[in-house]
């Protein structure tokens, strides 16, 4: 199993609200995508986290825009005048990540798209599991589209991989739920956590880790992601918001 692959045919515009300067592009399948570049600041590891976390969350019933691999020839941006964009495109030749563009979506502000108490608790627990530090009120990385809540931008999760912190350390690493957009749902976490934890099997994790393209990984990385995530699952009393189940 691998993510579908498309080729970028037109660079439409940069998304300046994103710190990594993602862009909007058209694909050779006529789709419109947000492209996240392997040549951006955090490098390909941010894309690895997007795939593992996004595909895990999708399989656990959350809405995540479809993810594809996208081939980029930097020449498609040659008429883009911005030097920063040009450099990013040049540094990102080859395989990048495409996120299905949700036209007309807007950032979650607490009203439309509210997932309810259990839904909030579920998202909070999952973000704590993958150590996603990028879901605060300042930057929710939640979009409302057709009245539903969509989760985006998981590139900051799994940050153990930047220095390859040991699995033992990551297993019990605390999570600051106070900063999370759904911190209010913490007391409801123990009621939803058992079911989520039971659904995260070694097979499911192996399946989502297998979707990461070889191009973004070092040797042995797949085994390391699996080991770290299984270790964290096993020690969830150490990091679970709202206390142990
Ligand atoms: N699939 C999408 N459909 C529509 N708009 C999107 C989509 N993905 C991202 N955006 C818009 O682009 C912005 C930047 O995207 P994203 O958060 O993925 O980038 P980032 O560089 O990782 O950002 P951050 O600054 O949060 O680290 C989002 O806040 C959102 O407004
Ligand atoms: Mg973002």
């Amino acid at each position: 199993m691998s993510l579908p692959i498309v080729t970028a045919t037109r660079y439409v515009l940069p998304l300046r609200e994103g710190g990594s300067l993602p862009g909007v592009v058209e694909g050779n399948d006529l789709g419109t995508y947000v492209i996240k570049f392997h040549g951006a600041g955090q490098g390909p590891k941010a894309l690895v986290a997007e795939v593992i976390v996004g595909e895990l969350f999708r399989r656990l019933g959350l809405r995540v825009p479809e993810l594809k691999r996208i081939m980029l020839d930097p020449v498609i941006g040659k008429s883009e005048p911005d030097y920063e964009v040009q450099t990013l495109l040049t540094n990102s030749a080859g395989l990048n990540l495409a996120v299905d563009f949700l036209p007309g979506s807007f950032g979650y502000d607490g009203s439309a798209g509210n997932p309810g108490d259990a839904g909030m608790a579920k998202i909070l627990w999952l973000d704590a599991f993958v150590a996603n530090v990028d879901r605060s009120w300042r930057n929710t990385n939640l979009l409302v589209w057709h009245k539903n809540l969509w989760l985006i931008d998981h590139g900051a999760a799994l940050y153990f991989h930047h220095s390859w912190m040991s699995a033992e350390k990551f297993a019990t690493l605390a999570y600051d739920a106070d900063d999370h957009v759904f911190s209010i749902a913490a007391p409801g976490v123990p009621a939803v956590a058992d079911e989520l934890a039971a659904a995260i099997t070694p097979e499911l994790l192996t399946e989502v880790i297998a979707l990461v393209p070889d191009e973004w990984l070092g040797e042995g990385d797949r085994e390391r992601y699996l080991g770290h995530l299984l270790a964290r699952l096993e020690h969830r009393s150490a990091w679970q918001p709202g206390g142990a189940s």
Side-chain angles (χ1 to χ4, degrees):
M1 271 287 287
S2 43
L3 295 175
I5 187 158
V6 294
T7 298
T9 49
R10 189 165 79 93
Y11 182 84
V12 182
L13 52 86
L15 284 169
R16 299 220 173 261
E17 63 269 44
S20 70
L21 204 59
V24 176
V25 297
E26 276 174 15
N28 62 337
D29 60 349
L30 304 182
T32 305
Y33 300 96
V34 172
I35 181 169
K36 304 207 77 171
F37 297 105
H38 73 77
Q42 297 294 332
K45 283 185 172 154
L47 308 190
V48 174
E50 292 268 11
V51 173
I52 296 177
V53 172
E55 294 300 331
L56 176 66
F57 286 12
R58 185 196 317 287
R59 282 161 179 72
L60 295 170
L62 298 172
R63 290 186 185 83
V64 178
E66 190 180 1
L67 301 180
K68 295 183 181 176
R69 294 170 293 156
I70 188 161
M71 283 304 292
L72 173 73
D73 180 344
V75 79
I76 66 161
K78 66 180 187 307
S79 59
E80 169 64 39
D82 188 308
Y83 175 75
E84 200 187 350
V85 171
Q86 282 299 340
T87 310
L88 188 54
L89 290 169
T90 307
N91 291 340
S92 303
L95 204 62
N96 295 280
L97 183 71
V99 184
D100 193 32
F101 182 72
L102 307 181
S105 60
F106 55 89
Y108 178 73
D109 67 0
S111 46
N114 188 306
D117 291 346
M120 287 194 265
K122 205 169 156 176
I123 292 169
L124 178 58
W125 187 88
L126 283 167
D127 279 334
F129 172 51
V130 300
N132 182 17
V133 293
D134 234 356
R135 193 106 61 207
S136 65
W137 275 112
R138 295 179 301 285
N139 186 8
T140 61
N141 288 311
L142 296 170
L143 296 178
V144 180
W145 191 56
H146 293 294
K147 301 194 178 129
N148 288 316
L149 194 68
W150 291 75
L151 283 74
I152 60 161
D153 191 7
H154 303 113
L158 308 182
Y159 58 85
F160 63 81
H161 61 183
H162 293 293
S163 59
W164 284 110
M165 170 194 299
S166 70
E168 292 70 33
K169 184 159 180 212
F170 182 62
T172 58
L173 193 69
Y175 184 74
D176 181 12
D178 292 346
D179 199 41
H180 194 279
V181 55
F182 297 144
S183 59
I184 192 177
V189 165
V192 299
D194 289 352
E195 197 180 332
L196 283 169
I200 303 176
T201 59
E203 293 72 28
L204 180 65
L205 290 171
T206 303
E207 178 187 328
V208 298
I209 293 167
L211 291 171
V212 179
D214 287 336
E215 285 85 341
W216 305 337
L217 292 171
E219 204 172 322
D221 281 358
R222 286 185 214 277
E223 292 71 27
R224 277 192 277 276
Y225 285 109
L226 181 63
H228 278 63
L229 288 167
L230 286 174
R232 189 161 174 85
L233 192 59
E234 200 179 318
H235 291 90
R236 68 185 159 102
S237 57
W239 51 262
Q240 182 167 293
S245 303

